[in-house]
Amino acid sequence: MSSAAPVASPPGGTAGTGPAAAGGTSPPGGRRRARRRRQARVGLLFAAPMLLLFAVFRFGPVLGAVLLSLTDYRLSGEWTFIGFENYTRLGGDDLFWDSLRVTLLYVVIFVPLTVLMSLATAAMLHQVVWRRGLFRGIFFLPYVTSIVLAAVIWKWIYDAEDGLVNGLLGLASLGPVDFLGRGELVLPSIALTSAWKGFGYSMLILLAGLQAIPRSYTEAAMIDGAGPWQRFRHVTLPLLRPVLFFVMVIETITAFQVFDAMYVMTGGGPVRSSFSLVYMLYDSGFKFFDFGYASAIGLVIFVFVLGVSLVQRRFLGRED
Amino acid sequence: MAASRAASRTGRLTLPVLLVLTAIVTITPFAAMVLVAFAPESGQTFPDALIPDRITFANFEHVLSSSDVPRWTLNSLIFSFVSVVLILLFASMAGYAFAKKRFPGRDALFWALLATLMVPFQATLIPSYILVSRLGGVDTYWGMIVPTLANVQAIFLMRQFIVQLPDELFEAAEMDGASEWRIFTTIVLPLVRPALATLGVFVFLWHWNDFLWPLVIGQSGEMQTLTVGLATLQSENVPINQIMAGATITVVPSLLVFGLLQRYLTDSIAMTGLKG
């Protein structure tokens, strides 16, 4: 399908400088120039399938997203240029502000939860040598599954009538609590599901970070009479900060893209209290076929993710 | 004296006990899924579901015969395996070019590819969908597969591996008059086998578990993948035992891959930080 395509044309700019720079020096220069030209041809040929795929399915859609957001593109394919109207419409759309609030609240709940879960398990694994591989595997297990699977299982766990948690609460004559049916509980419940699914990744990164800290540092603190908590607080944590920061950024970006779990567990409810930005994008696009408007929401999500990445770059640049 | 020794022993045991408890809590959802999947129809509520009076395969039989689960499994397998093969091939070719060949604009192109990591997939979902649908790719395998092949992490990982291979190797082969394609298939590919294996596992898991893209492209029941189908099943009035049976079927390939390559997978995340 995608093969058999012509070589992607090299971008302009740097293309012109090659031959001039290599220009006639000594006799072997001609051979060298031929070799260089062959290299360039082979290089482009080998990179061609990926470059073509990127041109069509990655750069194309990025450009398309910007252009679409300035139109009122509909299902029929008809469109007119409407400038920034989609963006001003977003500004006056309560649904948008609601979903932005939901997304930010979710970020604020999910990120500390995941980072704490991964840090706690990584710290435990770092200390305990007994069966470390087995435990590491167990904590990593949910990461290899899909968030849809996690959502399906946890939806039952949270179920008000049949679920595991309410069953246990029932044994203690408590509850039932409708975790997914109450506005103030739905986001923490979904965040816990996603954290369960994903904390294994950050745990591995943090564990690698912990193991990179020279033992002599904590040993020195121990000789000075520092207890385990003090050693962790004043020696380990500061040294771990760059890794911790990386993990926070990665998880923040993940949280901004939350959708699957909400789609499966709550359908955005109750009363839109789990209706995230991506959910709104999906609904505008594939329920109302308001493609231009949906693209504008996509760009808002992009701006948030870009902002988080830039903050990371700035801070990490300063740390090292 | 004795008391303090006892105290230090409990102190030493605290962490392992805590670790075991955390591990049990982590696995509980999986255990619950399997138990409910094997429980008879009556076992849908908590105590009966986890302590069923008998074990039955009826839920699996039901879900495999009355729903599209077999078809969805086939779709997921095609989506995942074809993507793995094509991404491994194209990414190692591109990785070789970016690592060992000079061509005009090479570095600028590489940075442009890396920059796309900054753009979340959701931001380009709509234009990607319109593009594929204009090309007639909705509800087709190629429409589902081809757009996912443009994978930056794959190129990046392959480039990092191939850059480390000594140049003399290629120069010698070139002297012997080997064609570039021959050099690529007989020297590069065998030497980067560990990278290919790592990447293959990740691409498989990313695709097997993917949701949003298969959801919008595979719209008809026939073309849904297992994850999408599972979401569909549970939004309909299917008994929870059967949903859990479907969930168990969905998770088996991931667990197989994980079980076989656990060490490998966890080590490579710690080293390369690959994330889907």
Side-chain angles (χ1 to χ4, degrees):
Chain A
M1 186 59 233
S2 66
S3 58
V7 179
S9 59
T14 50
T17 58
T25 41
S26 50
R31 212 181 303 151
R32 207 181 299 151
R33 204 185 309 153
R35 189 167 175 273
R36 194 173 290 186
R37 211 175 296 145
R38 196 177 93 96
Q39 254 209 356
R41 203 181 58 230
V42 169
L44 274 172
L45 224 52
F46 269 78
M50 267 303 182
L51 291 180
L52 188 73
L53 283 167
F54 268 85
V56 177
F57 293 107
R58 213 68 187 109
F59 295 118
V62 170
L63 192 66
V66 177
L67 295 177
L68 272 172
S69 75
L70 305 175
T71 71
D72 62 350
Y73 196 101
R74 276 165 298 231
L75 187 60
S76 58
E78 287 166 44
W79 60 274
T80 42
F81 181 81
I82 57 169
F84 290 97
E85 212 172 282
N86 281 324
Y87 295 95
T88 48
R89 189 175 141 206
L90 275 179
D93 190 343
D94 286 344
L95 198 57
F96 170 71
W97 291 109
D98 277 355
S99 60
L100 181 61
R101 195 177 43 80
V102 163
T103 307
L104 292 175
L105 193 58
Y106 180 79
V107 170
V108 169
I109 298 169
F110 173 81
V111 176
L113 183 65
T114 307
V115 172
L116 278 179
M117 278 168 72
S118 7
L119 185 61
T121 46
M124 282 196 286
L125 283 182
H126 184 56
Q127 290 294 319
V128 177
V129 183
W130 176 67
R131 301 251 163 198
R132 184 188 283 161
L134 175 72
F135 285 119
R136 193 175 69 155
I138 289 173
F139 294 138
F140 187 67
L141 199 58
Y143 178 75
V144 304
T145 67
S146 73
I147 184 69
V148 172
L149 183 97
V152 166
I153 300 175
W154 281 77
K155 197 184 172 197
W156 178 78
I157 290 176
Y158 286 136
D159 194 287
E161 283 156 30
D162 304 338
L164 178 64
V165 178
N166 278 311
L168 291 172
L169 286 176
L171 293 182
S173 330
L174 294 167
V177 181
D178 192 0
F179 291 97
L180 298 175
R182 279 173 51 179
E184 75 278 15
L185 289 181
V186 69
L187 285 183
S189 304
I190 293 174
L192 183 63
T193 303
S194 310
W196 172 78
K197 194 264 165 192
F199 81 98
Y201 172 83
S202 291
M203 175 200 74
L204 284 182
I205 302 281
L206 288 170
L207 185 59
L210 284 171
Q211 280 164 352
I213 295 174
R215 230 158 237 285
S216 53
Y217 287 31
T218 40
E219 276 161 10
M222 212 191 237
I223 291 165
D224 290 344
W229 172 247
Q230 281 177 309
R231 289 201 299 273
F232 183 75
R233 171 80 184 73
H234 295 289
V235 181
T236 311
L237 215 48
L239 288 168
L240 195 63
R241 204 164 54 183
V243 184
L244 205 56
F245 194 70
F246 170 78
V247 161
M248 280 165 67
V249 168
I250 291 284
E251 297 296 354
T252 306
I253 292 174
T254 305
F256 265 110
Q257 301 174 31
V258 64
F259 168 71
D260 306 8
M262 293 164 171
Y263 181 86
V264 173
M265 292 173 92
T266 62
V271 224
R272 297 211 300 261
S273 44
S274 62
F275 195 77
S276 66
L277 278 176
V278 175
Y279 213 129
M280 187 183 176
L281 185 156
Y282 176 80
D283 257 13
S284 314
F286 298 100
K287 207 161 123 196
F288 302 109
F289 302 104
D290 206 344
F291 289 132
Y293 199 46
S295 299
I297 302 168
L299 283 177
V300 171
I301 296 167
F302 166 64
V303 167
F304 272 107
V305 169
L306 186 72
V308 175
S309 311
L310 292 180
V311 167
Q312 175 203 24
R313 182 148 304 178
R314 201 188 156 99
F315 272 80
L316 282 190
R318 212 184 278 165
E319 294 252 341
D320 297 324
Chain B
M1 185 70 191
S4 86
R5 199 182 301 153
S8 86
R9 194 185 306 146
T10 55
R12 225 177 304 143
L13 275 178
T14 316
L15 264 185
V17 169
L18 214 57
L19 207 55
V20 170
L21 286 179
T22 319
I24 291 173
V25 173
T26 307
I27 306 190
T28 299
F30 288 123
M33 169 188 76
V34 173
L35 286 170
V36 175
F38 283 104
E41 198 79 33
S42 63
Q44 293 199 19
T45 51
F46 158 67
D48 304 336
L50 291 195
I51 317 151
D53 45 8
R54 66 193 169 84
I55 282 174
T56 172
F57 287 92
N59 304 310
F60 288 92
E61 281 163 19
H62 205 273
V63 108
L64 284 171
S65 63
S66 72
S67 68
D68 283 328
V69 165
R71 173 72 201 225
W72 295 337
T73 311
L74 178 73
N75 293 344
S76 277
L77 286 171
I78 292 174
F79 179 48
S80 307
F81 275 111
V82 175
S83 303
V84 167
V85 172
L86 292 179
I87 288 180
L88 290 192
L89 175 67
F90 293 156
S92 47
M93 283 169 66
Y96 177 49
F98 280 112
K100 294 293 181 192
K101 301 290 165 198
R102 302 196 157 277
F103 53 88
R106 182 187 73 171
D107 296 342
L109 272 176
F110 191 65
W111 284 111
L113 296 188
L114 280 184
T116 62
L117 273 178
M118 297 267 198
V119 186
F121 171 70
Q122 290 87 346
T124 56
L125 177 68
I126 302 290
S128 301
Y129 171 80
I130 292 176
L131 178 65
V132 170
S133 102
R134 282 288 182 94
L135 295 171
V138 172
D139 274 334
T140 68
Y141 287 119
W142 78 257
M144 206 182 286
I145 293 168
V146 175
T148 65
L149 301 181
N151 186 312
V152 196
Q153 289 107 312
I155 303 177
F156 186 70
L157 183 78
M158 293 321 298
R159 196 197 87 103
Q160 297 305 85
F161 258 79
I162 295 171
V163 146
Q164 295 165 12
L165 303 179
D167 286 332
E168 293 79 24
L169 221 53
F170 304 107
E171 279 158 20
E174 231 172 278
M175 274 324 187
D176 292 344
S179 73
E180 279 294 340
W181 183 252
R182 214 184 133 77
I183 292 175
F184 176 70
T185 51
T186 60
I187 299 180
V188 179
L189 287 186
L191 285 175
V192 294
R193 218 179 290 156
L196 288 174
T198 308
L199 185 61
V201 169
F202 277 104
V203 173
F204 177 82
L205 290 176
W206 292 336
H207 279 73
W208 187 265
N209 293 328
D210 198 6
F211 181 67
L212 189 52
W213 182 246
L215 174 72
V216 302
I217 290 300
Q219 291 174 343
S220 75
E222 284 260 287
M223 283 305 293
Q224 290 178 4
T225 58
L226 258 180
T227 42
V228 178
L230 190 61
T232 310
L233 268 193
Q234 74 91 49
S235 68
E236 290 161 2
N237 255 337
V238 179
I240 186 70
N241 303 77
Q242 288 174 30
I243 291 171
M244 290 302 194
T248 308
I249 294 169
T250 307
V251 82
V252 163
S254 311
L255 293 192
L256 270 180
V257 167
F258 174 69
L260 291 173
L261 301 163
Q262 198 223 113
R263 201 35 174 287
Y264 202 54
L265 208 67
T266 46
D267 284 348
S268 58
I269 282 208
M271 271 179 336
T272 63
L274 276 179
K275 182 166 185 174

